[in-house]
Amino acid sequence: MTIRIALPEPTSLDTDYNGRALPLYTSALQSAGAQPVVIPLQESPARVAHLLATVHGVLLPGSKYDIDPQVYGESRNPACNEPDPARAAVDELLLQDAFNLRKPLLGICGGMQALNVWRNGSLIQDLPTSRRSAVNHAAGREVDHAHEVRFEHSSRLAMIAPPTSAPVHVNSSHHQAVKVPGDNLRISASCPDDGVIEAIELKSNDQFVIGVQWHPERTYTSSALSRAIFAAFVREAQAWAKRHADATVPA
């Protein structure tokens, strides 16, 4: 069976950004053994629903735009980027599908933030103006090792990460972060230098839902952790597909 993973276009407002970012996500999924199903942001809800009926998991990618702070009950900080309503609308449909049917979900950078807000969590709107830190969380796509992350003991993400005695470093391209985790979400990794939340996950053994603030798709070929995250995500999609197929086999 071909495992199909839905992911929306990163933005509806910047085709150049999509051209740079989207191939890295699709390449990582393909390398992990899945077929990406890209959801255009201008599709009708009915068409999106039709596409979602054919997939076994959902990946929410990053974006250069921010979630409207009014969604989590805050006034807009001037440093907060403009929202992308079309991306937000499609994310809503994908999140509903994943949680209604318990499909595996992986959120990356802005995708993690979308997951958290959808679960009634909140965000730090701009790290540089909200706290002092020696860590540059906006190091950019050319820096593979921006800062250290530490996994929370017994988290799903800690069990996915390859064992190592060395500090784990990740890339970093964000100016926002999770402030308060959403409903039934737990912190699964943070930056030890300043306490910024770097990963969250659903408190459930029955559904794979992980969000990471860094970009594993950018370091898929060079990072064992990045490959492990995608491999675990696709394995969970395979397991979901098998359960779904078994449930539909006539007795």
Side-chain angles (χ1 to χ4, degrees), residues 139-238:
R141 57 194 307 118
E142 303 303 322
V143 179
D144 285 353
H145 299 90
H147 61 75
E148 184 181 350
V149 295
R150 290 183 185 169
F151 303 113
E152 293 295 324
H153 179 68
S154 78
S155 66
R156 185 189 286 266
L157 187 59
M159 291 184 282
I160 289 170
T164 178
S165 58
V168 176
H169 289 81
V170 297
N171 56 28
S172 195
S173 294
H174 63 104
H175 80 111
Q176 296 194 323
V178 167
K179 180 192 291 185
V180 177
D183 297 340
N184 209 32
L185 296 176
R186 62 173 291 187
I187 299 168
S188 50
S190 58
C191 175
D193 299 312
D194 60 8
V196 167
I197 296 170
E198 291 288 332
I200 55 176
E201 61 186 54
L202 189 66
K203 298 176 187 176
S204 172
N205 293 325
D206 299 328
Q207 184 182 7
F208 177 104
V209 176
I210 287 179
V212 297
Q213 191 59 72
W214 64 93
H215 283 269
E217 82 284 358
R218 295 180 182 173
T219 53
Y220 186 90
T221 59
S222 61
S223 166
L225 173 61
S226 296
R227 293 190 293 275
I229 290 170
F230 275 94
F233 174 48
V234 173
R235 281 197 305 271
E236 291 290 333
Q238 291 170 331

Side-chain angles (χ1 to χ4, degrees), residues 79 124-133 136 138 174-176:
I124 299 171
Q125 290 190 44
D126 185 59
L127 287 167
T129 57
S130 299
R131 60 172 66 191
R132 293 182 179 180
S133 174
N136 180 11
H174 63 104
H175 80 111
Q176 296 194 323

Side-chain angles (χ1 to χ4, degrees), residues 4-8 26 29 35-39 51-52 54-55:
R4 291 164 55 87
I5 303 296
L7 71 156
T26 59
L29 286 171
Q35 177 182 332
V37 178
V38 178
I39 309 294
L51 291 171
L52 288 176
T54 72
V55 306

